[in-house]
Structures are given as structure tokens and as C-alpha cells.
Amino acid sequence: MSTPTRVPPRGDRRAGIVAAALELFADKGYLATTMDDIGRAVAMRGPSLYKHVASKQDLLVEIMERSIATVLRDHRIAVESTDDVREQLRRAVEAHVRFHARHRLEAFVGTRELRHLDEANRAVMLSLRKDYESGFRELVERGVAQGRFRVGSVKLAVYSILDMGVGVAVWFREGGEFSVDEVAYHYGDQALRLLGAD
Amino acid sequence: MSTPTRVPPRGDRRAGIVAAALELFADKGYLATTMDDIGRAVAMRGPSLYKHVASKQDLLVEIMERSIATVLRDHRIAVESTDDVREQLRRAVEAHVRFHARHRLEAFVGTRELRHLDEANRAVMLSLRKDYESGFRELVERGVAQGRFRVGSVKLAVYSILDMGVGVAVWFREGGEFSVDEVAYHYGDQALRLLGAD
DNA sequence: GCACGTGGCTAGTGGGTGTTAGCCGAGCGC
DNA sequence: GCGCTCGGCTAACACCCACTAGCCACGTGC
């Protein structure tokens, strides 16, 4: 039997493996996904994967690190793009929602499989997630201090806004009833309403 | 070694097993929990569990069924307790939040472990969850029709309200900063704001 | 044209897991 | 007191899975 694929372009075989792992982890869960499953998705046997990755755990770590790094970057960009608190919050929420719509699978795996990260990596991820949450809290607190927002509880408002964005990852489908932009806009709007903005 | 517990009260040994399974499923996940783990939690060996339950899957099914039945019942009671749409929605949201605060673990397992239900049971659960969602959608639609709510999109508003309630299960702790009632009240408020109520 | 690194393969290892089989002590009905 | 049911136990079965060992084809550098 001759090789069906002539020659894999370069050493980016690893990227394909990570992508396949992401899809499988999101679909079946980390524990339910076997190395053979991942191998099958990239047309090789399970053990061959070890020529490209150190372990199954490494795949999870790589997925999570990339994911959280993206969210934090997008958030920073959104907040730094204006000085007006109201607008900062709108853009931060839109970035949050855009991420959860565009990177559904990463978002999914990022929250669902946190407990299957080994201790050290989980601690790092939890800390980064806390930072992210803090960014929103500071934003809302500043808005309240400036009299732009009126909330019963900053903490509960922030949790609510974040969680409704997280939920997008569950139901959103590319090419479905809503575009990413529509969802982002509506959610930004809802967040501002929830904060009693203006 | 004599029996440490003199005699288990009655045949409610099963209830203890389900409770232990719930805690473990919520903590480690369904797949990561072994029958030995569950056995240890109720002071017996794994295989002995089979004198009380048919399978590990049965434990998951029982947990999920009880969980969804509770939510649906609470929702119905809330909606039937008044005729005013605004008040119906407030009470439905409060019931939703109360459930996710009081039955954190059930809520957790109910959403996180859905994929590990076998096909038949999963279909039933998904259908029941759809019914629950529909209840909220009809409520919001009625409110909009009566001019009591003003929303950009009924669907997105409903998703948002449900998801922010679901999120409560993640962070809520009995005896923490907020009581169940406080959270329920605040979330009811936030939902009404989000709907542009009144 | 040859050595060698790359990246695939098969075979195996060591451990884990749901579940069944079969044993047995204790309490209860009669 | 006898037998039966209940509910525990240990042993074992039948897989499954991450990962390792060791082999080999192929393309490239020289």
C-alpha cells in the first residue's frame, strides 16, 4: 500500500492533531476521547501521535493555553480602545461574546475540562480566569463610581454578564439564525441594560 | 471486626448511594468516578453497590431525572401562582436561580454529564430541557405582545436569562456572601431590566 | 549511493474499570 | 433451630487505554 497523502506539507502536522483533539474533546469529553480517536481523525494510528506530542494531557494544556490567551488579549484590546466606561464595557462584552461564538469548542473545553488538567496547569488557568473576571469587575465598579451604572450588586452583575456570554458557546452555530456580530451587539445591549447604564 | 454501623435504618441505603454518586460525579465527573469511589463514600466495596443499583449509568439517570423533574415542577408552580406576566417572569427566574443555588450539584451534573447518558435517556432529557426553555420563551413572548417587555430578540433574551441562572451553580456556596433569597431577588431584577420590563 | 533523521507502523506493558460469580454471616419467620 | 433472604465480601473476567519499544520505509544532505 503506497502512501495515500503524498507528503504532509511541513512540520505543521502538530497543528492538525491539536485541531482534531479540540474537536473530539469538545464533542466526547477529554476522558472519553482516546489517542486512537485522535489518531483516526488525522489518518494515523494512536501511538504515532507521540512523534508529535508528548502526551494527551499536553494536547489539553495547549488547547487551554491558547484559548485563555486569546480571550485576555481580546479583552485588553477592547478596553484600551476607548476611555468611556460605558463604551469600554460594551466592547468588552462584545469581545467576550465574539470569542464564545467564534471559538465555541475552545470555550467548551476550557470550562468543561478544567478539572482534568493536572494540578499545576489547573492552578495557572484558574488564576488567569480570575484575572479576566477581575477586569470586568473593575470596569463595572468604575462605571458605578462615575454614576454611569446602577446595580444591586457588582459581583452578581459581573457573574451574570460573563455567564450569559459563556452560554453562547453552547447554542451558537456558524451560519445559523444569528451572525456573530448580531449576537455580540445584542449581548452588549443586554449587558448595558442589566447595568442600568446611562 | 464487628459492624461499625449497627444496622442501616431501612432500605434507604440506595438514597445514600445516589447522594454519594451525585457528589462524586459533580466533583470529578462521571467517567472519572469509579464504582469503588462511590462504594468508599458509603463504606462498602464497589461490587456491593450492585445489590442496590443496576449500573453506574442508572445512577446518572436517576440523578438527572430527579433534577429535571424538580426544575419543571418549580417552574410550573411559579408561573401558575399569578396572572401578571411581569410577576410570572420574575417568579420563574427566581425559581430557576433558587434551583441552581440549592441544587448546585444536580445542576452541574445535569448539564456537564448529559453526553454520557446513553442515547435513549439523553433524548428524553434534551426534550424535557427544550420544554423548559419553551416555557420561558412563551412567557417573554407574551410579555412582549402585551407591551410589558421590550427586547431586541426574544430568543437571545431567553438564552441570556437562563444562562445567567445556570452560572449560579458554578460559584454559589451555602453560607457564602449571598443567601439564596438574595441571589434569587437580584437575578429576578436583572432579568426584568434585561427585558426592559415595565 | 549511503548514512541518517523523520515519522509512520505493530506489538506489548502495566494499570485500571464496570460488572458478574459465588461465598457467607446475620437476622427473621415459623 | 432451621432455612431463607438480604446485603455484604473477594475473586475474576473481559475489556480498554495511555504510553513505550523496537522496527522499517522514505527522502534528504553530502
Side-chain angles (χ1 to χ4, degrees):
Chain A
M1 180 188 324
S2 69
T3 56
T5 56
R6 47 194 92 261
V7 157
R10 257 301 128 231
D12 61 354
R13 209 98 175 71
R14 186 186 169 91
I17 293 172
V18 175
L22 170 59
E23 217 150 321
L24 286 162
F25 290 170
D27 184 41
K28 316 174 46 167
Y30 176 71
L31 289 183
T33 300
T34 71
M35 291 302 272
D36 274 321
D37 289 336
I38 300 171
R40 200 172 309 119
V42 295
M44 64 169 87
R45 297 294 124 84
S48 302
L49 295 171
Y50 289 88
K51 298 283 178 172
H52 304 278
V53 300
S55 67
K56 185 180 167 186
Q57 174 77 203
D58 264 20
L59 284 169
L60 186 57
V61 172
E62 176 152 341
I63 288 167
M64 294 231 177
E65 278 177 345
R66 180 157 50 91
S67 176
I68 189 78
T70 304
V71 189
L72 285 171
R73 181 177 47 84
D74 290 356
H75 178 78
R76 195 168 30 75
I77 291 171
V79 172
E80 287 174 354
S81 68
T82 172
D83 279 337
D84 182 68
V85 196
R86 186 187 197 280
E87 197 54 26
Q88 282 181 315
L89 188 110
R90 168 181 275 292
R91 292 181 194 180
V93 171
E94 288 192 10
H96 181 67
V97 170
R98 261 179 238 278
F99 174 81
H100 283 84
R102 287 217 189 94
H103 301 94
R104 295 182 53 229
L105 305 188
E106 283 95 325
F108 231 68
V109 172
T111 64
R112 295 282 235 261
E113 309 295 352
L114 249 182
R115 58 180 151 203
H116 297 123
L117 277 183
D118 47 41
E119 196 49 40
N121 285 311
R122 187 167 62 248
V124 174
M125 294 299 154
L126 285 175
S127 160
L128 290 173
R129 285 173 157 250
K130 196 148 217 160
D131 292 348
Y132 184 60
E133 187 188 309
S134 297
F136 270 92
R137 177 143 45 228
E138 281 157 22
L139 221 46
V140 173
E141 264 160 6
R142 187 142 40 83
V144 170
Q146 294 180 13
R148 308 287 303 278
F149 303 155
R150 235 167 307 270
V151 298
S153 157
V154 171
K155 202 175 212 176
L156 297 185
V158 169
Y159 280 153
S160 297
I161 290 171
L162 289 177
D163 285 334
M164 71 192 216
V166 168
V168 171
V170 177
W171 57 263
F172 185 82
R173 290 297 179 279
E174 203 74 43
E177 186 176 349
F178 302 97
S179 70
V180 173
D181 286 344
E182 281 171 332
V183 177
Y185 176 75
H186 273 103
Y187 272 65
D189 230 46
Q190 290 177 343
L192 289 173
R193 280 196 191 192
L194 192 151
L195 292 171
D198 271 2
Chain B
M1 185 189 316
S2 69
T3 56
T5 55
R6 45 194 94 262
V7 157
R10 258 299 129 233
D12 59 354
R13 209 97 175 73
R14 186 186 169 90
I17 293 171
V18 174
L22 169 60
E23 217 149 322
L24 286 162
F25 290 169
D27 184 40
K28 315 173 48 167
Y30 176 71
L31 288 183
T33 300
T34 71
M35 290 303 270
D36 274 321
D37 289 336
I38 300 171
R40 200 172 309 119
V42 295
M44 65 169 88
R45 297 295 124 84
S48 301
L49 294 171
Y50 288 86
K51 298 285 178 172
H52 304 277
V53 299
S55 66
K56 185 180 167 186
Q57 174 77 203
D58 265 20
L59 284 169
L60 185 58
V61 171
E62 176 151 342
I63 288 167
M64 294 230 177
E65 278 176 345
R66 180 156 50 90
S67 177
I68 189 78
T70 304
V71 190
L72 285 170
R73 181 177 49 83
D74 290 357
H75 179 78
R76 195 167 30 74
I77 291 171
V79 172
E80 287 173 355
S81 68
T82 172
D83 279 338
D84 182 68
V85 196
R86 187 188 196 281
E87 196 54 25
Q88 281 181 315
L89 187 109
R90 168 181 275 291
R91 292 182 195 179
V93 170
E94 287 192 10
H96 180 67
V97 169
R98 261 180 238 279
F99 173 82
H100 284 84
R102 286 216 190 95
H103 301 94
R104 297 183 50 229
L105 305 187
E106 282 95 327
F108 231 68
V109 172
T111 64
R112 294 284 234 259
E113 309 296 351
L114 249 182
R115 58 180 151 203
H116 297 123
L117 277 182
D118 46 42
E119 197 48 43
N121 284 312
R122 187 167 61 248
V124 174
M125 293 301 154
L126 285 175
S127 161
L128 289 173
R129 284 173 158 251
K130 197 149 215 157
D131 291 348
Y132 184 60
E133 188 186 308
S134 299
F136 270 92
R137 177 144 44 227
E138 281 157 23
L139 220 46
V140 173
E141 264 160 6
R142 187 142 41 84
V144 169
Q146 294 181 12
R148 308 286 304 278
F149 302 156
R150 236 167 307 271
V151 298
S153 156
V154 171
K155 201 174 214 178
L156 297 185
V158 169
Y159 281 153
S160 298
I161 290 170
L162 289 177
D163 285 334
M164 72 193 215
V166 168
V168 171
V170 177
W171 57 263
F172 186 82
R173 290 297 179 279
E174 203 75 44
E177 186 176 350
F178 302 98
S179 70
V180 174
D181 286 344
E182 282 171 332
V183 178
Y185 176 76
H186 273 103
Y187 272 66
D189 230 46
Q190 290 177 341
L192 289 173
R193 280 196 191 192
L194 192 150
L195 292 171
D198 270 2

